[in-house]
Amino acid sequence: MATSRGYLGRTHEDQQPLVQGEPSGPKIITSAIPGPKTKAGLERLDKLQDTRAAFIMTGSNDMSDGNQEPRRKGKECLSILVMYLDMFCQIASLPLGYNSKALIDAASSPEMIQMLVNRPALGIVPHGTWAKTLEHSLMRAAPKGLTQVFTAMCGTCSNETAYKAAFMYYQKQKRGGNEITSEDLSTCMRNEGPGSPDLAVMSFDGGFHGRLFGSLSTTYTKPLHKLDIPAFSNWVSSPFPALRYPLEKHQVENDKEEERCLAIAEEKMKNAKSPIVALIVEPIQSEGGDNHASPRFFQGLRDLTKKYGIIMIVDEVQTGVGPTGHFWAHEAWNLTSPPDIVTFSKKFQTAGWFHGPELRADAPYRNFNTWLGDPVRVLQAKTILEEIESKDLVKNAAETGAYLKKELHVIENTYPKVISAVRGLGTFLAFDLPNPQERDVFVARLRLAGVNTGGCGPKSIRFRPMLVFQKRHADILLDAVERVASQH
Amino acid sequence: MATSRGYLGRTHEDQQPLVQGEPSGPKIITSAIPGPKTKAGLERLDKLQDTRAAFIMTGSNDMSDGNQEPRRKGKECLSILVMYLDMFCQIASLPLGYNSKALIDAASSPEMIQMLVNRPALGIVPHGTWAKTLEHSLMRAAPKGLTQVFTAMCGTCSNETAYKAAFMYYQKQKRGGNEITSEDLSTCMRNEGPGSPDLAVMSFDGGFHGRLFGSLSTTYTKPLHKLDIPAFSNWVSSPFPALRYPLEKHQVENDKEEERCLAIAEEKMKNAKSPIVALIVEPIQSEGGDNHASPRFFQGLRDLTKKYGIIMIVDEVQTGVGPTGHFWAHEAWNLTSPPDIVTFSKKFQTAGWFHGPELRADAPYRNFNTWLGDPVRVLQAKTILEEIESKDLVKNAAETGAYLKKELHVIENTYPKVISAVRGLGTFLAFDLPNPQERDVFVARLRLAGVNTGGCGPKSIRFRPMLVFQKRHADILLDAVERVASQH
């Protein structure tokens, strides 16, 4: 396969390498993925766990699927090019690439070992240094206007504990200082109202907010995520704008589409069967297909939530921590007032939600669990932040992403029957294939061409590289995309 | 305060110390808890997080609350007696005590650093050594008859993903090989039946299974855990036996009480508004007040779940990993067939559930999330298991617990108006105070006497020591309990 545009020969003198000692590119010497060694490894694992979604095993030579340059143990910073150029990064959750020197150094610090060995129940016996750790980690990244952080272990738990906070807040307002009634206390012990009230969370068609019972009732990606699981039938979804790309070329019709969606959202807020207490929205619908909306749309949502007294939760689990060219994607909206809650996980390696003091429960132990997060992963968030700041990685995502998007548009224009709707912010980019089947084929061929990435929505391909992804890596990707597109 | 029975002078030549270099006992030099330094520390933390449930901060000298022997960094194995004799152990979640040498050694192993730094999305890109890690960690402890493990990060998520597995299994059986209908697919996207079916989980009054939306609908401990949070109103609770202690002295009436509860459970299974798909039960209701039932009762539940085609889930989040004198508390029941699912967390430092292959979902990605647990904590489970085996810690819990229980009965008989209903298995012990207020006073006084422990249920005190808790530590506890009881 020839490279028509010569991406691999390019130089980028404006970008110093962020990582030293990487191989020059991916090398795939198997003719099918998973290759024979991964297959054997997965067979062994399948005796214990469902492996049907797995396709690669990483991290040891004998499982390297024949890659000629497997990662060597202890070798410094082979950050991106392990076996593949990894554009999916453990479902968008690796911030600094593989074998980050900073994370390796932090891994054996006395603080880290302390937290590994003497794991606290943070709600009742926090470590003496916990306030300081939070101040130097998560709180340094707190979105403007949010002064508090609730720590958790995954995105789903973050969203669900945020919903709980919203429900408790709503009921407290409703009581208006009156005491909790004995009816409240007795009915909640039977899962019945008024103690277990019939209140709702609103989210969007195509939105993904997790898979446990509360979050799954706000997730509307595809049936297989929801089928067979009891759900809160009065929780509400509303259409998310279906915009045309590139956005700037379709502004008039896109504006109209967003207005339509805002009008429907307002209608649903007004006429909901059960009061809508919280609204949760992703800055970019990710699992749902990399669907974008404009800052104006999100300002419209903020206005509606204010108007109807609804807690606005921005789910930055996938968009947060830099990839869009802002630390938090919602920073780009310039909202007139901050969201009430911002949830996070993935690239922070730890999870939770930022909020204001009004969303603390009115009594201790109400929004609570044994561990309340894992301080080991919070310590990592501190290192991740330090790396992001010292290496200006958010800016890197913005610049590298701008370059990659520009070149993807070039390929899109060359192969318009294959690739369309190139879109995104920073390196948080995606494009469409004509249909689901062709998308799946394209993803598989990219893997054989040395690029690992993932699909999203019905027919999209998404890129979720690490924050140290640079133009020279983008060239490897572009070369592969162009080659696969040319043969499609 | 004098020690009437002289616990502190006792020797236990049958027990070699499991841990070297511990201080001889707790030392509390503050007159109120939290002491001034903890108070200052909590004040700082309270700016960022709700600290109303917190009472101790651990782990650094300046937060030591004035303890004369704070834990020294790197000092080997000051396992139990840090500031307090810790009988609560981070809400029953510390298996090997503080500063376990084995865990410290494992903390900087290359494998651990690998998993800290290159965290995988286990469902799609498991590490090459993942099968081996599972085989040598969790699977070595798999309950008899259960060959599979689903990994998770906390007890709540374990229970909820187990419920999901039960629901999917039930619906698959119901379809009996027929295809999923388009009505199923479309209705689930609106949170409506039949795609989002109206199915129920059954649990017990006083049971605790977590605090997110699904698990909270199966938790029936106290109103403050449930109030204001929407719940599945058709999910069902049934009375848990209210037994009299000591069990052996009240067998006739206890048998009758258990038969009564089994009859009600069966009645509810037969006449439920929504089909009951799963039953979840703790071997000992912990948060609910250390309520016990006999093996016969649990065999009765197993028989009922078999009779009505209900998945039986044993929630071993708090009882599992040794404290009852069995590795899994349900081993003591000698069930005629194993439970369908056993969930775990806490003392394993990681979480998940064991099950048989029939409970795998019928398609990939259905019971799924980004990380599917944290391999760092799974690696710790391996070390924990090795320590338990090489030091015979389950047997230690049985023997130490037997001694402690016998002596608690002596104190109970001396102060019958203060302490009653001494009960438990292994070191998983509890007793009652006359009422909630006196219980709270007793817990506070125990802390000032150097023993940290927790309450449970309306008026009980529970002990949840680490597995390296020995008779000489029991003596420190007994001395404190006796002194506090004598002054009560």
Side-chain angles (χ1 to χ4, degrees), chain A residues 44 46 52 58 99 118 128 135 175 211 228 360-361 368 380, chain B residues 44 46 52 58 99 118 128 135 175 211 228 360-361 368:
Chain A
R44 179 173 175 182
D46 196 72
R52 284 169 296 175
T58 60
N99 293 332
N118 300 321
E135 287 160 9
R175 283 187 193 105
R211 294 161 170 266
D228 299 341
R360 284 191 186 191
F368 191 84
Q380 284 198 313
Chain B
R44 178 173 175 180
D46 196 70
R52 286 168 296 175
T58 59
N99 293 332
N118 300 321
E135 287 161 7
R175 284 188 191 103
R211 294 160 170 267
D228 298 341
R360 285 192 186 191
F368 192 83

PDB file of all heavy atoms in Angstrom, chain A residues 44 46 52 58 99 118 128 135 175 211 228 360-361 368 380, chain B residues 44 46 52 58 99 118 128 135 175 211 228 360-361 368:
ATOM      1  N   ARG A  44      -7.368 -19.136  27.658  1.00  0.00           N
ATOM      2  CA  ARG A  44      -7.105 -19.438  29.076  1.00  0.00           C
ATOM      3  C   ARG A  44      -7.980 -18.565  29.975  1.00  0.00           C
ATOM      4  O   ARG A  44      -8.585 -19.042  30.931  1.00  0.00           O
ATOM      5  CB  ARG A  44      -5.622 -19.188  29.360  1.00  0.00           C
ATOM      6  CG  ARG A  44      -5.219 -19.432  30.799  1.00  0.00           C
ATOM      7  CD  ARG A  44      -3.706 -19.334  30.929  1.00  0.00           C
ATOM      8  NE  ARG A  44      -3.278 -19.436  32.325  1.00  0.00           N
ATOM      9  CZ  ARG A  44      -2.005 -19.344  32.707  1.00  0.00           C
ATOM     10  NH1 ARG A  44      -1.037 -19.170  31.809  1.00  0.00           N
ATOM     11  NH2 ARG A  44      -1.686 -19.444  33.994  1.00  0.00           N
ATOM     12  N   ASP A  46     -10.757 -17.111  29.211  1.00  0.00           N
ATOM     13  CA  ASP A  46     -12.187 -17.352  29.013  1.00  0.00           C
ATOM     14  C   ASP A  46     -12.724 -18.456  29.929  1.00  0.00           C
ATOM     15  O   ASP A  46     -13.927 -18.568  30.145  1.00  0.00           O
ATOM     16  CB  ASP A  46     -12.484 -17.684  27.550  1.00  0.00           C
ATOM     17  CG  ASP A  46     -13.971 -17.550  27.245  1.00  0.00           C
ATOM     18  OD1 ASP A  46     -14.457 -16.412  27.202  1.00  0.00           O
ATOM     19  OD2 ASP A  46     -14.641 -18.591  27.100  1.00  0.00           O
ATOM     20  N   ARG A  52     -15.492 -12.227  25.267  1.00  0.00           N
ATOM     21  CA  ARG A  52     -15.959 -12.002  23.897  1.00  0.00           C
ATOM     22  C   ARG A  52     -15.720 -10.590  23.383  1.00  0.00           C
ATOM     23  O   ARG A  52     -15.712 -10.351  22.180  1.00  0.00           O
ATOM     24  CB  ARG A  52     -17.453 -12.362  23.782  1.00  0.00           C
ATOM     25  CG  ARG A  52     -17.685 -13.868  23.752  1.00  0.00           C
ATOM     26  CD  ARG A  52     -19.149 -14.184  23.919  1.00  0.00           C
ATOM     27  NE  ARG A  52     -19.648 -13.751  25.224  1.00  0.00           N
ATOM     28  CZ  ARG A  52     -20.917 -13.826  25.592  1.00  0.00           C
ATOM     29  NH1 ARG A  52     -21.824 -14.315  24.769  1.00  0.00           N
ATOM     30  NH2 ARG A  52     -21.291 -13.432  26.805  1.00  0.00           N
ATOM     31  N   THR A  58      -2.184  -7.072  26.384  1.00  0.00           N
ATOM     32  CA  THR A  58      -0.986  -6.229  26.359  1.00  0.00           C
ATOM     33  C   THR A  58       0.016  -6.619  27.418  1.00  0.00           C
ATOM     34  O   THR A  58      -0.304  -7.339  28.364  1.00  0.00           O
ATOM     35  CB  THR A  58      -1.344  -4.763  26.645  1.00  0.00           C
ATOM     36  OG1 THR A  58      -1.934  -4.700  27.939  1.00  0.00           O
ATOM     37  CG2 THR A  58      -2.268  -4.210  25.608  1.00  0.00           C
ATOM     38  N   ASN A  99       3.717   3.346  30.233  1.00  0.00           N
ATOM     39  CA  ASN A  99       5.015   3.455  30.908  1.00  0.00           C
ATOM     40  C   ASN A  99       5.460   4.888  31.146  1.00  0.00           C
ATOM     41  O   ASN A  99       6.651   5.207  31.026  1.00  0.00           O
ATOM     42  CB  ASN A  99       6.090   2.704  30.105  1.00  0.00           C
ATOM     43  CG  ASN A  99       5.840   1.218  30.124  1.00  0.00           C
ATOM     44  OD1 ASN A  99       5.252   0.690  31.059  1.00  0.00           O
ATOM     45  ND2 ASN A  99       6.281   0.528  29.088  1.00  0.00           N
ATOM     46  N   ASN A 118      -2.257   0.714  53.503  1.00  0.00           N
ATOM     47  CA  ASN A 118      -3.173   1.064  54.600  1.00  0.00           C
ATOM     48  C   ASN A 118      -4.370   1.817  54.049  1.00  0.00           C
ATOM     49  O   ASN A 118      -4.560   3.000  54.305  1.00  0.00           O
ATOM     50  CB  ASN A 118      -2.451   1.934  55.634  1.00  0.00           C
ATOM     51  CG  ASN A 118      -1.252   1.228  56.229  1.00  0.00           C
ATOM     52  OD1 ASN A 118      -1.289   0.024  56.482  1.00  0.00           O
ATOM     53  ND2 ASN A 118      -0.171   1.963  56.430  1.00  0.00           N
ATOM     54  N   GLY A 128      -4.263  11.530  57.505  1.00  0.00           N
ATOM     55  CA  GLY A 128      -3.899  12.878  57.953  1.00  0.00           C
ATOM     56  C   GLY A 128      -3.532  13.820  56.817  1.00  0.00           C
ATOM     57  O   GLY A 128      -3.692  15.038  56.937  1.00  0.00           O
ATOM     58  N   GLU A 135      -6.201  18.939  47.879  1.00  0.00           N
ATOM     59  CA  GLU A 135      -5.865  20.303  47.451  1.00  0.00           C
ATOM     60  C   GLU A 135      -4.881  20.288  46.283  1.00  0.00           C
ATOM     61  O   GLU A 135      -4.986  21.085  45.360  1.00  0.00           O
ATOM     62  CB  GLU A 135      -5.261  21.091  48.616  1.00  0.00           C
ATOM     63  CG  GLU A 135      -6.265  21.493  49.690  1.00  0.00           C
ATOM     64  CD  GLU A 135      -5.599  21.830  51.041  1.00  0.00           C
ATOM     65  OE1 GLU A 135      -4.345  21.910  51.088  1.00  0.00           O
ATOM     66  OE2 GLU A 135      -6.328  22.007  52.031  1.00  0.00           O
ATOM     67  N   ARG A 175     -39.166  20.351  51.615  1.00  0.00           N
ATOM     68  CA  ARG A 175     -39.566  20.382  53.030  1.00  0.00           C
ATOM     69  C   ARG A 175     -39.492  21.787  53.596  1.00  0.00           C
ATOM     70  O   ARG A 175     -40.178  22.106  54.574  1.00  0.00           O
ATOM     71  CB  ARG A 175     -38.662  19.461  53.851  1.00  0.00           C
ATOM     72  CG  ARG A 175     -39.004  18.020  53.707  1.00  0.00           C
ATOM     73  CD  ARG A 175     -38.227  17.112  54.626  1.00  0.00           C
ATOM     74  NE  ARG A 175     -38.437  15.751  54.142  1.00  0.00           N
ATOM     75  CZ  ARG A 175     -37.560  15.035  53.475  1.00  0.00           C
ATOM     76  NH1 ARG A 175     -36.341  15.508  53.282  1.00  0.00           N
ATOM     77  NH2 ARG A 175     -37.863  13.841  53.025  1.00  0.00           N
ATOM     78  N   ARG A 211     -24.047   2.123  33.677  1.00  0.00           N
ATOM     79  CA  ARG A 211     -24.807   0.906  33.438  1.00  0.00           C
ATOM     80  C   ARG A 211     -25.378   0.269  34.690  1.00  0.00           C
ATOM     81  O   ARG A 211     -25.839  -0.865  34.643  1.00  0.00           O
ATOM     82  CB  ARG A 211     -23.891  -0.115  32.770  1.00  0.00           C
ATOM     83  CG  ARG A 211     -23.429   0.255  31.382  1.00  0.00           C
ATOM     84  CD  ARG A 211     -22.204  -0.578  31.061  1.00  0.00           C
ATOM     85  NE  ARG A 211     -21.782  -0.493  29.690  1.00  0.00           N
ATOM     86  CZ  ARG A 211     -22.163  -1.353  28.739  1.00  0.00           C
ATOM     87  NH1 ARG A 211     -22.959  -2.332  29.014  1.00  0.00           N
ATOM     88  NH2 ARG A 211     -21.713  -1.210  27.507  1.00  0.00           N
ATOM     89  N   ASP A 228     -33.656  -5.990  29.315  1.00  0.00           N
ATOM     90  CA  ASP A 228     -33.840  -6.979  30.393  1.00  0.00           C
ATOM     91  C   ASP A 228     -33.590  -6.426  31.793  1.00  0.00           C
ATOM     92  O   ASP A 228     -33.733  -7.157  32.781  1.00  0.00           O
ATOM     93  CB  ASP A 228     -32.948  -8.225  30.200  1.00  0.00           C
ATOM     94  CG  ASP A 228     -33.257  -8.979  28.911  1.00  0.00           C
ATOM     95  OD1 ASP A 228     -34.356  -8.761  28.361  1.00  0.00           O
ATOM     96  OD2 ASP A 228     -32.407  -9.762  28.465  1.00  0.00           O
ATOM     97  N   ARG A 360     -24.109  19.228  49.543  1.00  0.00           N
ATOM     98  CA  ARG A 360     -23.819  18.277  50.624  1.00  0.00           C
ATOM     99  C   ARG A 360     -25.149  17.798  51.205  1.00  0.00           C
ATOM    100  O   ARG A 360     -26.095  18.572  51.332  1.00  0.00           O
ATOM    101  CB  ARG A 360     -23.039  18.953  51.749  1.00  0.00           C
ATOM    102  CG  ARG A 360     -21.606  19.180  51.424  1.00  0.00           C
ATOM    103  CD  ARG A 360     -20.862  19.598  52.683  1.00  0.00           C
ATOM    104  NE  ARG A 360     -19.486  19.965  52.349  1.00  0.00           N
ATOM    105  CZ  ARG A 360     -18.541  20.168  53.252  1.00  0.00           C
ATOM    106  NH1 ARG A 360     -18.826  20.065  54.543  1.00  0.00           N
ATOM    107  NH2 ARG A 360     -17.332  20.488  52.881  1.00  0.00           N
ATOM    108  N   ALA A 361     -25.195  16.540  51.595  1.00  0.00           N
ATOM    109  CA  ALA A 361     -26.415  16.027  52.214  1.00  0.00           C
ATOM    110  C   ALA A 361     -26.645  16.746  53.542  1.00  0.00           C
ATOM    111  O   ALA A 361     -25.712  17.280  54.149  1.00  0.00           O
ATOM    112  CB  ALA A 361     -26.293  14.525  52.432  1.00  0.00           C
ATOM    113  N   PHE A 368     -22.777   8.091  50.990  1.00  0.00           N
ATOM    114  CA  PHE A 368     -21.665   7.504  51.741  1.00  0.00           C
ATOM    115  C   PHE A 368     -21.423   6.085  51.254  1.00  0.00           C
ATOM    116  O   PHE A 368     -22.324   5.425  50.762  1.00  0.00           O
ATOM    117  CB  PHE A 368     -22.074   7.471  53.225  1.00  0.00           C
ATOM    118  CG  PHE A 368     -20.959   7.152  54.180  1.00  0.00           C
ATOM    119  CD1 PHE A 368     -20.105   8.159  54.632  1.00  0.00           C
ATOM    120  CD2 PHE A 368     -20.749   5.861  54.625  1.00  0.00           C
ATOM    121  CE1 PHE A 368     -19.075   7.871  55.518  1.00  0.00           C
ATOM    122  CE2 PHE A 368     -19.714   5.568  55.521  1.00  0.00           C
ATOM    123  CZ  PHE A 368     -18.881   6.582  55.962  1.00  0.00           C
ATOM    124  N   GLN A 380      -2.389   9.350  41.862  1.00  0.00           N
ATOM    125  CA  GLN A 380      -2.007   9.365  40.452  1.00  0.00           C
ATOM    126  C   GLN A 380      -2.554  10.600  39.745  1.00  0.00           C
ATOM    127  O   GLN A 380      -1.880  11.168  38.882  1.00  0.00           O
ATOM    128  CB  GLN A 380      -2.522   8.106  39.754  1.00  0.00           C
ATOM    129  CG  GLN A 380      -1.702   6.886  40.099  1.00  0.00           C
ATOM    130  CD  GLN A 380      -1.920   5.769  39.102  1.00  0.00           C
ATOM    131  OE1 GLN A 380      -3.046   5.463  38.756  1.00  0.00           O
ATOM    132  NE2 GLN A 380      -0.841   5.172  38.636  1.00  0.00           N
TER     133      GLN A 380
ATOM    134  N   ARG B  44      -9.748  21.569  57.981  1.00  0.00           N
ATOM    135  CA  ARG B  44      -9.158  21.852  56.663  1.00  0.00           C
ATOM    136  C   ARG B  44      -9.852  21.014  55.588  1.00  0.00           C
ATOM    137  O   ARG B  44     -10.203  21.505  54.524  1.00  0.00           O
ATOM    138  CB  ARG B  44      -7.666  21.522  56.728  1.00  0.00           C
ATOM    139  CG  ARG B  44      -6.933  21.730  55.412  1.00  0.00           C
ATOM    140  CD  ARG B  44      -5.436  21.534  55.624  1.00  0.00           C
ATOM    141  NE  ARG B  44      -4.705  21.604  54.373  1.00  0.00           N
ATOM    142  CZ  ARG B  44      -3.380  21.460  54.285  1.00  0.00           C
ATOM    143  NH1 ARG B  44      -2.654  21.243  55.395  1.00  0.00           N
ATOM    144  NH2 ARG B  44      -2.769  21.520  53.119  1.00  0.00           N
ATOM    145  N   ASP B  46     -12.792  19.712  55.714  1.00  0.00           N
ATOM    146  CA  ASP B  46     -14.216  20.034  55.584  1.00  0.00           C
ATOM    147  C   ASP B  46     -14.480  21.160  54.586  1.00  0.00           C
ATOM    148  O   ASP B  46     -15.599  21.325  54.112  1.00  0.00           O
ATOM    149  CB  ASP B  46     -14.811  20.399  56.951  1.00  0.00           C
ATOM    150  CG  ASP B  46     -16.334  20.350  56.910  1.00  0.00           C
ATOM    151  OD1 ASP B  46     -16.877  19.242  56.806  1.00  0.00           O
ATOM    152  OD2 ASP B  46     -16.959  21.424  56.918  1.00  0.00           O
ATOM    153  N   ARG B  52     -18.542  15.123  58.465  1.00  0.00           N
ATOM    154  CA  ARG B  52     -19.308  14.922  59.699  1.00  0.00           C
ATOM    155  C   ARG B  52     -19.268  13.508  60.245  1.00  0.00           C
ATOM    156  O   ARG B  52     -19.535  13.270  61.417  1.00  0.00           O
ATOM    157  CB  ARG B  52     -20.765  15.368  59.494  1.00  0.00           C
ATOM    158  CG  ARG B  52     -20.907  16.879  59.463  1.00  0.00           C
ATOM    159  CD  ARG B  52     -22.276  17.276  58.979  1.00  0.00           C
ATOM    160  NE  ARG B  52     -22.487  16.868  57.601  1.00  0.00           N
ATOM    161  CZ  ARG B  52     -23.639  17.010  56.947  1.00  0.00           C
ATOM    162  NH1 ARG B  52     -24.686  17.537  57.563  1.00  0.00           N
ATOM    163  NH2 ARG B  52     -23.746  16.627  55.690  1.00  0.00           N
ATOM    164  N   THR B  58      -5.592   9.303  60.339  1.00  0.00           N
ATOM    165  CA  THR B  58      -4.474   8.405  60.641  1.00  0.00           C
ATOM    166  C   THR B  58      -3.249   8.736  59.829  1.00  0.00           C
ATOM    167  O   THR B  58      -3.306   9.447  58.847  1.00  0.00           O
ATOM    168  CB  THR B  58      -4.828   6.948  60.284  1.00  0.00           C
ATOM    169  OG1 THR B  58      -5.137   6.905  58.893  1.00  0.00           O
ATOM    170  CG2 THR B  58      -5.975   6.445  61.097  1.00  0.00           C
ATOM    171  N   ASN B  99       0.451  -1.449  57.830  1.00  0.00           N
ATOM    172  CA  ASN B  99       1.863  -1.638  57.467  1.00  0.00           C
ATOM    173  C   ASN B  99       2.278  -3.093  57.328  1.00  0.00           C
ATOM    174  O   ASN B  99       3.390  -3.457  57.703  1.00  0.00           O
ATOM    175  CB  ASN B  99       2.769  -0.939  58.488  1.00  0.00           C
ATOM    176  CG  ASN B  99       2.616   0.566  58.432  1.00  0.00           C
ATOM    177  OD1 ASN B  99       2.290   1.132  57.391  1.00  0.00           O
ATOM    178  ND2 ASN B  99       2.837   1.221  59.555  1.00  0.00           N
ATOM    179  N   ASN B 118      -0.030   1.358  33.836  1.00  0.00           N
ATOM    180  CA  ASN B 118      -0.687   1.044  32.557  1.00  0.00           C
ATOM    181  C   ASN B 118      -2.016   0.354  32.826  1.00  0.00           C
ATOM    182  O   ASN B 118      -2.192  -0.823  32.538  1.00  0.00           O
ATOM    183  CB  ASN B 118       0.205   0.134  31.702  1.00  0.00           C
ATOM    184  CG  ASN B 118       1.540   0.770  31.392  1.00  0.00           C
ATOM    185  OD1 ASN B 118       1.629   1.963  31.139  1.00  0.00           O
ATOM    186  ND2 ASN B 118       2.599  -0.029  31.428  1.00  0.00           N
ATOM    187  N   GLY B 128      -1.615  -9.349  29.441  1.00  0.00           N
ATOM    188  CA  GLY B 128      -1.241 -10.714  29.082  1.00  0.00           C
ATOM    189  C   GLY B 128      -1.192 -11.677  30.253  1.00  0.00           C
ATOM    190  O   GLY B 128      -1.388 -12.885  30.092  1.00  0.00           O
ATOM    191  N   GLU B 135      -6.060 -16.613  38.345  1.00  0.00           N
ATOM    192  CA  GLU B 135      -5.902 -17.993  38.824  1.00  0.00           C
ATOM    193  C   GLU B 135      -5.197 -18.034  40.180  1.00  0.00           C
ATOM    194  O   GLU B 135      -5.550 -18.824  41.053  1.00  0.00           O
ATOM    195  CB  GLU B 135      -5.087 -18.814  37.812  1.00  0.00           C
ATOM    196  CG  GLU B 135      -5.832 -19.172  36.535  1.00  0.00           C
ATOM    197  CD  GLU B 135      -4.907 -19.564  35.376  1.00  0.00           C
ATOM    198  OE1 GLU B 135      -3.676 -19.678  35.602  1.00  0.00           O
ATOM    199  OE2 GLU B 135      -5.403 -19.721  34.258  1.00  0.00           O
ATOM    200  N   ARG B 175     -37.398 -16.351  27.339  1.00  0.00           N
ATOM    201  CA  ARG B 175     -37.487 -16.361  25.868  1.00  0.00           C
ATOM    202  C   ARG B 175     -37.350 -17.776  25.324  1.00  0.00           C
ATOM    203  O   ARG B 175     -37.814 -18.058  24.216  1.00  0.00           O
ATOM    204  CB  ARG B 175     -36.374 -15.492  25.267  1.00  0.00           C
ATOM    205  CG  ARG B 175     -36.645 -14.037  25.381  1.00  0.00           C
ATOM    206  CD  ARG B 175     -35.658 -13.157  24.618  1.00  0.00           C
ATOM    207  NE  ARG B 175     -35.908 -11.792  25.042  1.00  0.00           N
ATOM    208  CZ  ARG B 175     -35.160 -11.107  25.906  1.00  0.00           C
ATOM    209  NH1 ARG B 175     -34.072 -11.643  26.394  1.00  0.00           N
ATOM    210  NH2 ARG B 175     -35.503  -9.892  26.261  1.00  0.00           N
ATOM    211  N   ARG B 211     -25.717   1.173  48.298  1.00  0.00           N
ATOM    212  CA  ARG B 211     -26.454   2.436  48.361  1.00  0.00           C
ATOM    213  C   ARG B 211     -26.695   3.093  47.020  1.00  0.00           C
ATOM    214  O   ARG B 211     -27.122   4.240  46.978  1.00  0.00           O
ATOM    215  CB  ARG B 211     -25.660   3.419  49.228  1.00  0.00           C
ATOM    216  CG  ARG B 211     -25.547   3.043  50.680  1.00  0.00           C
ATOM    217  CD  ARG B 211     -24.365   3.794  51.289  1.00  0.00           C
ATOM    218  NE  ARG B 211     -24.300   3.697  52.736  1.00  0.00           N
ATOM    219  CZ  ARG B 211     -24.839   4.587  53.576  1.00  0.00           C
ATOM    220  NH1 ARG B 211     -25.505   5.621  53.123  1.00  0.00           N
ATOM    221  NH2 ARG B 211     -24.709   4.430  54.867  1.00  0.00           N
ATOM    222  N   ASP B 228     -35.620   9.826  50.445  1.00  0.00           N
ATOM    223  CA  ASP B 228     -35.513  10.806  49.350  1.00  0.00           C
ATOM    224  C   ASP B 228     -34.988  10.233  48.046  1.00  0.00           C
ATOM    225  O   ASP B 228     -34.877  10.965  47.051  1.00  0.00           O
ATOM    226  CB  ASP B 228     -34.621  12.017  49.741  1.00  0.00           C
ATOM    227  CG  ASP B 228     -35.175  12.787  50.918  1.00  0.00           C
ATOM    228  OD1 ASP B 228     -36.377  12.641  51.211  1.00  0.00           O
ATOM    229  OD2 ASP B 228     -34.393  13.526  51.557  1.00  0.00           O
ATOM    230  N   ARG B 360     -23.124 -15.991  32.705  1.00  0.00           N
ATOM    231  CA  ARG B 360     -22.552 -15.059  31.731  1.00  0.00           C
ATOM    232  C   ARG B 360     -23.692 -14.518  30.870  1.00  0.00           C
ATOM    233  O   ARG B 360     -24.627 -15.236  30.540  1.00  0.00           O
ATOM    234  CB  ARG B 360     -21.578 -15.776  30.805  1.00  0.00           C
ATOM    235  CG  ARG B 360     -20.276 -16.099  31.447  1.00  0.00           C
ATOM    236  CD  ARG B 360     -19.281 -16.536  30.380  1.00  0.00           C
ATOM    237  NE  ARG B 360     -18.043 -16.983  31.007  1.00  0.00           N
ATOM    238  CZ  ARG B 360     -16.930 -17.226  30.352  1.00  0.00           C
ATOM    239  NH1 ARG B 360     -16.904 -17.089  29.038  1.00  0.00           N
ATOM    240  NH2 ARG B 360     -15.853 -17.622  30.985  1.00  0.00           N
ATOM    241  N   ALA B 361     -23.577 -13.266  30.480  1.00  0.00           N
ATOM    242  CA  ALA B 361     -24.605 -12.696  29.606  1.00  0.00           C
ATOM    243  C   ALA B 361     -24.576 -13.409  28.254  1.00  0.00           C
ATOM    244  O   ALA B 361     -23.566 -14.006  27.884  1.00  0.00           O
ATOM    245  CB  ALA B 361     -24.355 -11.209  29.424  1.00  0.00           C
ATOM    246  N   PHE B 368     -20.947  -4.951  31.640  1.00  0.00           N
ATOM    247  CA  PHE B 368     -19.662  -4.421  31.175  1.00  0.00           C
ATOM    248  C   PHE B 368     -19.459  -3.021  31.715  1.00  0.00           C
ATOM    249  O   PHE B 368     -20.407  -2.305  32.002  1.00  0.00           O
ATOM    250  CB  PHE B 368     -19.710  -4.382  29.628  1.00  0.00           C
ATOM    251  CG  PHE B 368     -18.395  -4.134  28.956  1.00  0.00           C
ATOM    252  CD1 PHE B 368     -17.519  -5.179  28.736  1.00  0.00           C
ATOM    253  CD2 PHE B 368     -18.037  -2.853  28.541  1.00  0.00           C
ATOM    254  CE1 PHE B 368     -16.296  -4.952  28.099  1.00  0.00           C
ATOM    255  CE2 PHE B 368     -16.808  -2.627  27.916  1.00  0.00           C
ATOM    256  CZ  PHE B 368     -15.944  -3.686  27.694  1.00  0.00           C
TER     257      PHE B 368
END
